Amino acid sequence: MKRFWLSLPFVLAGILAIVLLRQLRTSNHELVSYRLSRQVMGTLASIEAVAPPSMRKQLPEVVSRAFTVVDRVEAIMSPYKDDSLVSRINRQAAQEPVALDGWTAEVLRQSQMHWKLSGGAFDPTCGPLIELWKRCGKEDRLPTPEEIATAKDRSGFDKVILNLEADPPTIRFTQPGMRIDLGGIAKGFAIDLAAGELHKSGCVGGLVDIGGDIRTFGRPDDDAYWQIAVQNPFHEGTLRILSVHDAAVCTSGNYQRFSIIQGHRYSHIIDPRSGMPAEASPSVTIAGANTTGTDAIATAVSVLGYADGMKMISNLPHYEAMLIIGSPQAFEMKSSVGFDKFVRN
Ligand code: AMP
Ligand code: MG
């Protein structure tokens, strides 16, 4: 009898666990989901929508609308499309103010804010430096100090006149040869818009993933949390699983996209202060409330490195960081204090 009483708490816990599991299963049956993946913004994107069964038939249309929003952001902000607004800005803004649409004005407003917050580490006006390093990558040579100095001279948000009060808002460059590159923030902005489209359509859960930058809300149809895997930057495989409901998670990495010049690997992220590729962190993951912010901050912290990056994060209450530092042979994972609320194992 004594043994029975001793084991009673375990029996009750077991019953409770079964009841909870059954409830979870039942509620799972009350949701349906639809996921579609395709190439967009030069990478693979996946959009998943979760909704009550009454919306089952609409979900493919809802997901397709979310992709259309991403396509529109790309059409406006891609520097590779001649007819995009960004290309037109880069051709004309040194001669005259160029009118902005609402989305580009918002991305530039947030870019300017993150440029200030990061002490210039995030700077989408470093287009001339990005292009210089790209060209040198193709020619397998390092840029000369003069080339870097010229490109640096043509970069800097302080050389931009952004008039957001005008109707329509406008941008103007104060020097010829300047170019903006929104590659460090536009993906995050597109993800926020696409997630907003799912939400607006009545979805109770959703996930938008563009090339590993992710926004989630609600929950999936078959689990209590969305699970986001943070990749090991050095080898195939996962470093950590983050379990989240509503979150934006972006990873920037020196080891993800790079060019090799004379046998040395150079990051696609440029330190606007030196004009050199960022060397500091192989992988920076930022978690936060919106993807536009996490995208820009991940790029900024990649430039700043561990000490200055963590200092920046400690001043931003809505964002947390996880950095991989070191070499493939000896690397360490470092997180800001609040990051662990996202971690399951
Ligand atoms: P991400 O993968 O979000 O870190 O963005 C990297 C992209 O942002 C690069 O491919 C460039 O297009 C652009 N970029 C590079 N360096 C910077 C920088 N320091 N600030 C803002 N954008 C940058
Ligand atoms: Mg970014």
Side-chain angles (χ1 to χ4, degrees):
M1 198 59 183
K2 197 170 167 203
R3 252 174 140 183
F4 172 79
W5 286 114
L6 276 177
S7 58
L8 189 62
F10 296 102
V11 175
L12 289 177
I15 292 170
L16 189 69
I18 290 166
V19 171
L20 284 176
L21 215 71
R22 278 181 63 91
Q23 268 185 350
L24 195 65
R25 285 236 187 87
T26 320
S27 62
N28 289 348
H29 286 297
E30 286 166 5
L31 295 174
V32 292
S33 70
Y34 177 82
R35 177 187 275 247
L36 186 70
S37 303
R38 71 163 164 86
Q39 285 290 122
V40 69
M41 293 182 138
T43 185
L44 187 67
S46 251
I47 300 184
E48 181 170 341
V50 181
S54 58
M55 278 183 67
R56 187 190 302 269
K57 283 205 181 122
Q58 288 153 256
L59 287 188
E61 174 58 28
V62 168
V63 168
S64 156
R65 274 205 304 275
F67 264 111
T68 302
V69 168
V70 178
D71 288 337
R72 278 168 54 203
V73 174
E74 185 180 13
I76 295 170
M77 298 183 203
S78 169
Y80 306 110
K81 295 181 193 293
D82 277 349
D83 58 351
S84 73
L85 176 57
V86 162
S87 292
R88 195 146 56 78
I89 291 169
N90 287 340
R91 280 193 303 268
Q92 291 177 2
Q95 289 97 49
E96 60 193 346
V98 176
L100 300 170
D101 71 305
W103 285 355
T104 313
E106 178 57 17
V107 169
L108 285 167
R109 184 187 70 79
Q110 294 207 38
S111 294
Q112 191 173 39
M113 181 174 87
H114 291 294
W115 168 69
K116 282 184 192 152
L117 282 173
S118 66
F122 179 82
D123 190 344
T125 69
C126 65
L129 286 162
I130 294 167
E131 282 177 14
L132 173 64
W133 280 96
K134 250 187 218 160
R135 196 172 66 242
C136 287
K138 283 188 194 135
E139 295 167 5
D140 194 30
R141 68 173 181 93
L142 288 172
T144 63
E146 292 74 31
E147 282 175 316
I148 292 180
T150 306
K152 260 187 79 175
D153 200 45
R154 294 172 175 172
S155 305
F157 222 116
D158 54 336
K159 296 169 193 153
V160 167
I161 301 168
L162 188 60
N163 189 348
L164 297 173
E165 304 306 319
D167 187 16
T170 59
I171 185 169
R172 165 112 215 224
F173 298 151
T174 59
Q175 273 190 34
M178 290 182 67
R179 301 178 68 79
I180 52 166
D181 180 320
L182 301 176
I185 189 169
K187 230 193 280 169
F189 182 74
I191 291 170
D192 281 335
L193 288 184
E197 186 62 43
L198 300 181
H199 201 259
K200 207 165 64 188
S201 304
C203 294
V204 295
L207 177 142
V208 181
D209 171 348
I210 307 184
D213 289 345
I214 293 169
R215 168 92 183 250
T216 61
F217 68 92
R219 49 170 283 190
D221 66 333
D222 59 353
D223 200 351
Y225 294 93
W226 294 102
Q227 309 226 353
I228 300 177
V230 179
Q231 301 298 315
N232 185 321
F234 302 118
H235 314 286
E236 284 278 299
T238 297
L239 270 183
R240 271 190 167 186
I241 306 280
L242 314 181
S243 296
V244 295
H245 283 135
D246 302 284
V249 180
C250 287
T251 299
S252 284
N254 288 2
Y255 277 71
Q256 278 183 333
R257 274 164 42 216
F258 51 83
S259 50
I260 293 179
I261 303 179
Q262 294 164 1
H264 188 88
R265 200 197 281 249
Y266 289 94
S267 173
H268 67 297
I269 299 172
I270 304 292
D271 185 336
R273 301 160 304 182
S274 64
M276 299 295 288
E279 292 276 1
S281 305
S283 166
V284 172
T285 297
I286 305 292
N290 74 83
T291 329
T292 313
T294 51
D295 191 3
I297 294 167
T299 307
V301 173
S302 292
V303 170
L304 291 172
Y306 175 62
D308 289 342
M310 285 300 190
K311 214 180 282 168
M312 176 180 169
I313 290 295
S314 68
N315 291 322
L316 300 173
H318 302 297
Y319 297 94
E320 303 293 344
M322 186 182 92
L323 275 73
I324 312 297
I325 55 172
S327 64
Q329 293 75 31
F331 66 87
E332 254 187 289
M333 231 183 320
K334 301 264 199 182
S335 306
S336 59
V337 180
F339 194 86
D340 282 354
K341 65 174 174 257
F342 293 106
V343 179
R344 200 177 214 182
N345 62 3

